[in-house]
Amino acid sequence: MDSQNKNLILATALSFLVILVWFVLFPPEEPVVDPNAPAVVATTQTTAAEVAAPAQAEVVAVPQAPRLTIDTPRLKGSVSLLGGRIDDLSLKGYRVSQADDAKIVRLLTPVGEPNAYYALYGWVPGGALEFADVPGATTEWSLASGGTLAPGQPVVLQWQNSKGLTFTRTLAVDDYYMFTVTDAVQNTGTTEVALQPYGVVARHGKPADLQNFFVLHEGVVGRTDGKLAEVDYDDVAELPVVDREGAQAEVIEATTDGWIGFTDKYWMTTLIPDQGKPFTAVTKYNASANIYQTETRQPVMTVAPGASAEVSSRLFAGAKEWETIRRYQNEDGIAGFIDSIDWGWFFFLTKPIFALLHWLNAQIGNMGLAIIALTFVLKLLVLPLAYKSYVSMARMKELQPEMEALKERAGDDKAKLQKEMMQLYKEKKVNPAAGCLPILIQIPIFFSLYKVIFVTLELRHAPFFGWLTDLSAPDTSSLYNLFGLLPWAAPMPGSFLALAFIGILPILLGISMWLQQKLNPAPADPAQAMIFAWMPWVFMFMLGGFASGLVLYWITNNTITFMQQYTIMRSHGHKPDLFGNIRASFRKKPVPEVKGKK
């Protein structure tokens, strides 16, 4: 194997190592919290801390109250008339696992159940009003009209206080995952009133299925005035105490648009106030109750006697489907909503890569075949650079006799050898670094595709063929039971046995890398030869626990690279001795003689 090929393989290994270490040691910075950030617009006598006090106090089960059924093509659940809260919601189209008896994914759960997670809306009183005079978390609404909440079938709730105020809440839902909450107040009293509408998404404790993986963001996600913010649960718990909030908090004043909520790997619950208007976005942690919450507060409203006022906001509660979220962004004007999907540092690659993969899957109808087609497209895009690289490698091969002659003439004079080699490259117009270009491009593409496969919902439970029923998960076949031929189960994913007894796809990956190596003879240096000989099998086990879709991409990429390199080398008069190099790798290597011994 010539020095250029050694550099290529070494560059691959070092690039993987450097990027992995970088991600571990230098994770993306979280937004800096400003403890002096402005709080709620002080146009009433109400403090900001009072906005969420009812939600913060709920650490035990709330009293039983009547419920209204939610039934849409994608959602099922119920709304509690106590607080008018949306706190019982399941996703019809998604199951917890691929087992036949698996339950559908439950997104929201009421207070009193494990990991309570819910959305509620209310008003902050101002002036002479008190909390008992406005709807909040403990207000029991009455049903004014409607029955089951469904697309095209809104429900209207109503509540009156003793001071001449009538509150009306209209809940509507579309065919996907968007609720619209319209709160109205009519003042039949004799005095002007001031009050402020708010929305809360509260989460009691961290999610039970929190993955805590550095590649994935889980926690608060939001956007205010064009700036995206992602805050992990641990960072929310370390926010400074803001006196006006009465808790650890971050308060951001938005002037034009935005949204805020909680994101899981595949699901999300997000508050979306009326776009184009100012609002306050709050991230808060109540340490004593272990409650994480996000809030939106819209401007204070003043309602004169005999007048009425109305405010509308939306709540996204569902699956992070790319097409659905993109439609809400493009058609419904929710700016930057597509960024609620965690595209990562390489967003300039992950976004177009996923868009292309999604389109290919729609055309082909099989995500595995779409990944293979995507690999061909990506290889076609980098073909000019790859061609230059392989041509350079072929020319380097042609220079081997002259290189050996230079080494003999230079002897132990390394400086002289280096100078004459550079002169030879210049005369023959060969760039020894050209072979690294495809590798430098492949590394970010590889990590971008890894991110896409890991975080996007469309890859979850996406089948290929045969035993490969989930391309977002590792290959489930195993050497442990001879790929299902022996009458015992394969090791549990993530266990040591699963890492040792890998599946069919990782083995094919190792073979494809090994065959790529055999296009060239092994290096003369025994130590280098041993390192390069082991490298395919090391990568085989390293990638054995990766998503099968990613391993499928790497196998396809290796296969295409093998064919490209073989063809280009043949076109430049060098016929790779593939079978000869393979046979040579199995021959017993002579033991080098130690000087001074016979």
Side-chain angles (χ1 to χ4, degrees):
M1 181 180 290
D2 57 33
S3 60
Q4 179 62 21
N5 288 331
K6 298 174 191 175
N7 291 337
L8 283 174
I9 298 174
L10 186 60
T12 305
L14 290 178
S15 298
F16 270 110
L17 181 61
V18 167
I19 292 177
L20 286 174
V21 171
W22 179 270
F23 270 104
V24 172
L25 297 182
F26 304 101
E29 292 184 0
E30 300 292 354
V32 177
V33 178
D34 181 6
N36 300 314
V40 171
V41 180
T43 58
T44 75
Q45 298 176 3
T46 306
T47 64
E50 292 173 314
V51 171
Q56 288 180 343
E58 295 184 86
V59 294
V60 296
V62 297
Q64 292 294 321
R67 286 186 170 272
L68 302 176
T69 300
I70 300 172
D71 189 11
T72 80
R74 288 170 171 79
L75 299 172
K76 63 177 294 186
S78 61
V79 177
S80 174
L81 291 186
L82 188 69
R85 67 187 71 204
I86 303 171
D87 62 356
D88 173 26
L89 201 63
S90 297
L91 312 181
K92 291 181 177 180
Y94 299 94
R95 296 188 176 274
V96 175
S97 70
Q98 291 185 293
D100 294 337
D101 58 348
K103 296 181 179 179
I104 62 174
V105 172
R106 192 177 189 191
L107 180 62
L108 303 182
T109 52
V111 175
E113 295 191 19
N115 302 106
Y117 185 21
Y118 51 89
L120 60 87
Y121 291 82
W123 297 83
V124 175
L129 292 178
E130 299 178 355
F131 268 101
D133 299 326
V134 296
T138 58
T139 301
E140 185 163 344
W141 295 79
S142 60
L143 180 63
S145 66
T148 297
L149 178 57
Q153 300 177 30
V155 296
V156 180
L157 311 181
Q158 195 172 76
W159 181 78
Q160 293 179 325
N161 68 6
S162 59
K163 297 182 179 179
L165 297 180
T166 300
F167 294 89
T168 303
R169 175 169 297 168
T170 304
L171 298 174
V173 65
D174 66 9
D175 289 328
Y176 292 86
Y177 308 110
M178 191 70 77
F179 293 85
T180 300
V181 181
T182 304
D183 272 322
V185 56
Q186 183 179 10
N187 185 2
T188 60
T190 58
T191 60
E192 182 180 83
V193 296
L195 62 174
Q196 182 181 34
Y198 69 85
V200 171
V201 172
R203 195 157 209 172
H204 292 215
K206 296 179 181 178
D209 59 350
L210 187 67
Q211 300 201 17
N212 265 334
F213 192 45
F214 74 95
V215 172
L216 173 69
H217 170 65
E218 297 168 285
V220 174
V221 62
R223 187 179 189 271
T224 52
D225 294 336
K227 184 178 181 181
L228 182 70
E230 296 176 330
V231 189
D232 297 335
Y233 289 102
D234 290 341
D235 293 325
V236 173
E238 293 177 1
L239 290 173
V241 174
V242 178
D243 292 337
R244 292 188 64 186
E245 298 296 327
Q248 297 168 246
E250 178 185 36
V251 181
I252 300 175
E253 298 293 340
T255 58
T256 55
D257 54 53
W259 40 269
I260 190 170
F262 291 102
T263 180
D264 301 319
K265 182 175 182 179
Y266 296 123
W267 333 114
M268 180 173 65
T269 307
T270 309
L271 297 162
I272 308 164
D274 199 5
Q275 300 294 282
K277 299 179 180 179
F279 76 97
T280 304
V282 183
T283 301
K284 186 180 293 185
Y285 178 63
N286 182 355
S288 61
N290 192 26
I291 296 177
Y292 301 85
Q293 64 187 51
T294 58
E295 305 172 15
T296 56
R297 303 168 187 163
Q298 302 198 54
V300 175
M301 304 171 65
T302 302
V303 187
S308 61
E310 182 179 281
V311 64
S312 181
S313 62
R314 286 175 286 182
L315 172 73
F316 177 93
K320 295 196 292 184
E321 298 167 355
W322 180 75
E323 276 193 354
T324 301
I325 291 178
R326 187 179 63 157
R327 183 173 60 254
Y328 286 134
Q329 173 179 293
N330 296 340
E331 298 180 9
D332 295 346
I334 306 175
F337 204 40
I338 198 69
D339 291 329
S340 60
I341 300 173
D342 183 17
W343 300 110
W345 287 6
F346 294 121
F347 63 90
F348 51 89
L349 289 177
T350 52
K351 284 185 176 181
I353 283 176
F354 176 77
L356 178 57
L357 179 62
H358 185 80
W359 181 83
L360 289 170
N361 182 46
Q363 304 304 310
I364 300 172
N366 182 289
M367 186 59 79
L369 294 178
I371 290 175
I372 293 174
L374 173 69
T375 312
F376 274 91
V377 173
L378 294 176
K379 293 295 286 185
L380 184 63
L381 291 176
V382 300
L383 181 59
L385 287 176
Y387 181 80
K388 290 182 179 180
S389 169
Y390 298 142
V391 167
S392 177
M393 291 169 66
R395 289 178 178 174
M396 289 286 291
K397 181 65 64 178
E398 295 170 1
L399 294 180
Q400 283 303 304
E402 296 180 58
M403 297 280 287
E404 294 299 326
L406 287 178
K407 291 178 183 178
E408 291 181 7
R409 289 199 303 268
D412 294 333
D413 191 342
K414 301 295 184 183
K416 180 181 178 181
L417 175 62
Q418 185 70 18
K419 182 179 179 181
E420 292 188 2
M421 285 176 60
M422 292 299 103
Q423 184 63 32
L424 179 62
Y425 292 150
K426 185 177 180 180
E427 291 175 358
K428 301 296 183 179
K429 297 182 179 180
V430 173
N431 182 3
C436 295
L437 289 176
I439 298 298
L440 295 177
I441 294 176
Q442 274 303 323
I443 295 302
I445 290 177
F446 175 83
F447 277 97
S448 298
L449 190 61
Y450 172 70
K451 180 79 171 181
V452 164
I453 291 175
F454 188 76
V455 307
T456 54
L457 177 62
E458 286 73 9
L459 270 294
R460 180 181 187 264
H461 296 174
F464 184 33
F465 293 116
W467 75 99
L468 296 171
T469 59
D470 185 358
L471 289 170
S472 69
D475 186 352
T476 54
S477 64
S478 174
L479 276 168
Y480 186 73
N481 60 0
L482 287 182
F483 315 115
L485 296 178
L486 299 178
W488 52 76
M492 290 293 294
S495 65
F496 175 77
L497 285 178
L499 295 176
F501 294 95
I502 55 179
I504 295 176
L505 280 185
I507 292 173
L508 292 176
L509 172 65
I511 293 173
S512 67
M513 293 184 70
W514 181 71
L515 286 174
Q516 244 185 291
Q517 278 192 359
K518 296 312 170 185
L519 285 175
N520 296 284
D525 184 0
Q528 288 185 351
M530 182 181 66
I531 292 173
F532 293 132
W534 277 102
M535 191 170 292
W537 316 120
V538 171
F539 273 90
M540 178 178 73
F541 284 98
M542 282 178 55
L543 299 180
F546 280 46
S548 54
L550 189 71
V551 180
L552 177 63
Y553 159 79
W554 205 247
I555 293 171
T556 308
N557 180 77
N558 288 345
T559 304
I560 298 171
T561 301
F562 177 90
M563 293 187 296
Q564 286 179 338
Q565 190 173 350
Y566 185 90
T567 303
I568 293 172
M569 291 174 75
R570 286 292 300 267
S571 68
H572 281 76
H574 176 70
K575 182 179 180 181
D577 187 12
L578 178 63
F579 294 105
N581 294 336
I582 292 175
R583 286 193 297 269
S585 66
F586 289 104
R587 295 194 191 107
K588 186 175 181 180
K589 304 296 187 298
V591 179
E593 182 179 346
V594 180
K595 293 182 178 180
K597 292 186 179 182
K598 295 184 179 179

